[in-house]
Amino acid sequence: MPRSYSYEFLLGLKDADPTRLGVKLGRLCVEANLPATYVAKALKISRMTVYAWFRGQGIREEKRKTVEAFMTLVEKDMEFGRLPASNMIDAKLYIEDMVGGQV
């Protein structure tokens, strides 16, 4: 079951290198209220990998385009008011709609 981001995590994200793609992804997911569990399912990776990226760990070249495309979709949906998700159910439905199946 997904949960909200912890205060400690949010502080770490605030202090992380803003030039790293994973940190940008993390900040976007927090702003969009998308839990790491759902982001991991959308990107077909583990939750631990998502958190490693959020903390600034490098993203392999073969996943960069997928991450960038995901971020573009989330940014557009933020602009159009579809995000941030108001609750975990809405976040789940958003990701399911994005990936075309259940998460």
Side-chain angles (χ1 to χ4, degrees):
M1 176 177 198
R3 30 179 214 174
S4 301
Y5 296 105
S6 72
Y7 180 72
E8 291 81 16
F9 169 78
L10 294 174
L11 283 177
L13 188 61
K14 180 180 174 274
D15 294 334
D17 181 355
T19 64
R20 304 289 300 188
L21 182 60
V23 174
K24 291 177 185 178
L25 173 65
R27 290 178 178 180
L28 181 62
C29 290
V30 167
E31 184 180 354
N33 198 26
L34 296 174
T37 301
Y38 297 153
V39 174
K41 291 184 190 253
L43 297 175
K44 297 181 179 168
I45 55 173
S46 72
R47 185 179 54 84
M48 296 295 284
T49 299
V50 169
Y51 275 111
W53 291 354
F54 286 2
R55 290 184 174 100
Q57 191 174 64
I59 299 174
R60 292 183 185 199
E61 196 58 40
E62 61 266 15
K63 275 294 183 184
R64 289 186 76 80
K65 289 184 180 184
T66 303
V67 170
E68 290 167 348
F70 176 83
M71 290 174 65
T72 298
L73 290 172
V74 171
E75 287 166 348
K76 286 181 181 176
D77 286 338
M78 293 281 289
E79 282 179 35
F80 296 137
R82 189 167 181 207
L83 292 172
S86 56
N87 55 52
M88 294 299 168
I89 293 170
D90 287 344
K92 182 179 180 189
L93 292 173
Y94 174 80
I95 295 294
E96 285 177 346
D97 185 48
M98 179 185 279
V99 299
Q102 286 193 327
V103 293

